[in-house]
Amino acid sequence: MMLLLATLLYLPVIQSQEIIAHRGFWKTEGSAQNSITALMKADSIGVFGSEVDIWISSDGIPVVNHDATVTLDGKKLRVEDTPFGTLRKVKLSNGEQMPTVEEYLNAFEKCKKVKLIIEFKSHTVKERETELARKVIDMVHQRGLKDKVEYIAFGIHFLQLVRQLDPQASIYYLNGDMSPAVLSSMGVSGLDYHYNVLFNHPQWVEAAHKLGQKVNVWTVNKAEDIQKVIDLKVDFITTDEPLRVKEIIKNR
Ligand code: MG
């Protein structure tokens, strides 16, 4: 028994990567990017996280959408300049209505395992970003989901906002232009960069780990790139192909 325990203790720790389904698990029957279905499907395949993109409507309703614009009756509308009543008419490719963040969180409460990775999209006016972050972090806290939600953003304003509003929350920076040392000095939890940035700065993974930060990478879909980011020892892989990444990790 003691021998077995000792052997187990001295086995090298095999570090594995966690998978985050980019915009939920949408490449599957009946799903669509950033739909509530995509969130539930991500939960059903047992991945670490399901990512989602959010904006605030012109009348202050946090909504789920990737692009800065939506097309309605052939017209392009900027999400941040459009009232919710109009945005509500937008249909996703699976027939769902564009969800509000409130509806998304209500569905998320029913998820068993998956974490929600919320991406705050960059707005043209800082005050709108503040309003969005305040409202969403409030909703997350009111539902007791604090430990199940992480945040990501391209905008530095959001990094500061999340730190102010929830000092313990995980917040990762997406824009690829700051070193782990700089991010650490800003109190950011880690980097979440495009894989090409990490291929150009492979040393950033170890540097981040030495500073106690985590490394996430987006959006890795091709088998050879998935292998490469695993070799780099990143902590999380954000992908449109969660089942492929799962399979590759399992077979290594
Ligand atoms: Mg995103």
Side-chain angles (χ1 to χ4, degrees):
M1 183 63 193
M2 285 302 282
L3 188 68
L4 178 70
L5 199 64
T7 315
L8 283 175
L9 282 173
Y10 287 99
L11 275 176
V13 179
I14 298 165
Q15 177 222 9
S16 184
Q17 282 71 32
E18 301 278 14
I19 300 167
I20 296 169
H22 183 235
R23 307 180 196 171
F25 181 31
W26 57 272
K27 276 190 165 184
T28 184
E29 180 89 39
S31 194
Q33 295 189 6
N34 281 320
S35 64
I36 286 174
T37 307
L39 168 66
M40 304 320 273
K41 297 239 183 212
D43 190 43
S44 76
I45 57 170
V47 287
F48 171 85
S50 186
E51 189 250 5
V52 66
D53 305 289
I54 67 164
W55 293 87
I56 193 157
S57 68
S58 65
D59 50 351
I61 307 293
V63 292
V64 172
N65 196 62
H66 178 266
D67 293 352
T69 59
V70 290
T71 306
L72 194 66
D73 303 326
K75 263 192 279 178
K76 259 197 173 174
L77 306 169
R78 290 170 57 83
V79 174
E80 59 184 304
D81 298 339
T82 307
F84 174 65
T86 307
L87 293 172
R88 191 53 153 181
K89 295 176 192 152
V90 174
K91 284 265 182 345
L92 310 185
S93 66
N94 67 344
E96 273 181 45
Q97 292 174 306
M98 177 195 283
T100 61
V101 172
E102 188 174 15
E103 289 164 343
Y104 218 79
L105 289 174
N106 290 343
F108 179 57
E109 283 189 297
K110 295 175 203 126
C111 289
K112 292 191 179 72
K113 175 179 181 262
V114 81
K115 287 202 184 208
L116 188 61
I117 316 299
I118 296 180
E119 178 178 349
F120 289 114
K121 302 305 281 188
S122 297
H123 292 57
T124 46
V125 182
K126 275 207 171 77
E127 286 68 32
R128 307 301 310 288
E129 297 187 342
T130 307
E131 188 186 354
L132 176 62
R134 279 189 192 287
K135 284 184 170 168
V136 169
I137 290 174
D138 243 21
M139 280 188 234
V140 167
H141 290 188
Q142 274 169 18
R143 285 171 172 74
L145 295 171
K146 215 170 149 78
D147 297 332
K148 294 181 73 186
V149 175
E150 300 188 353
Y151 304 95
I152 57 177
F154 281 92
I156 291 170
H157 184 54
F158 279 121
L159 307 181
Q160 295 159 341
L161 275 171
V162 173
R163 264 298 146 269
Q164 269 169 31
L165 298 169
D166 186 350
Q168 267 85 50
S170 291
I171 167 78
Y172 294 85
Y173 181 60
L174 293 165
N175 205 37
D177 57 344
M178 288 200 272
S179 70
V182 173
L183 291 176
S184 175
S185 73
M186 295 168 67
V188 176
S189 318
L191 36 146
D192 183 357
Y193 288 172
H194 186 272
Y195 55 88
N196 277 332
V197 174
L198 291 186
F199 293 164
N200 290 330
H201 302 274
Q203 75 282 7
W204 279 1
V205 179
E206 203 189 331
H209 288 160
K210 280 189 176 151
L211 291 163
Q213 298 179 324
K214 299 267 189 186
V215 180
N216 190 352
V217 57
W218 52 270
T219 303
V220 197
N221 297 331
K222 284 193 289 183
E224 55 169 302
D225 293 329
I226 295 165
Q227 297 281 5
K228 275 162 96 175
V229 298
I230 295 173
D231 289 338
L232 279 177
K233 299 191 166 65
V234 300
D235 303 288
F236 308 98
I237 300 174
T238 300
T239 179
D240 294 316
E241 303 284 357
L243 296 179
R244 182 179 297 158
V245 178
K246 238 183 172 190
E247 194 61 23
I248 291 174
I249 291 173
K250 199 182 87 188
N251 290 335
R252 274 173 68 105

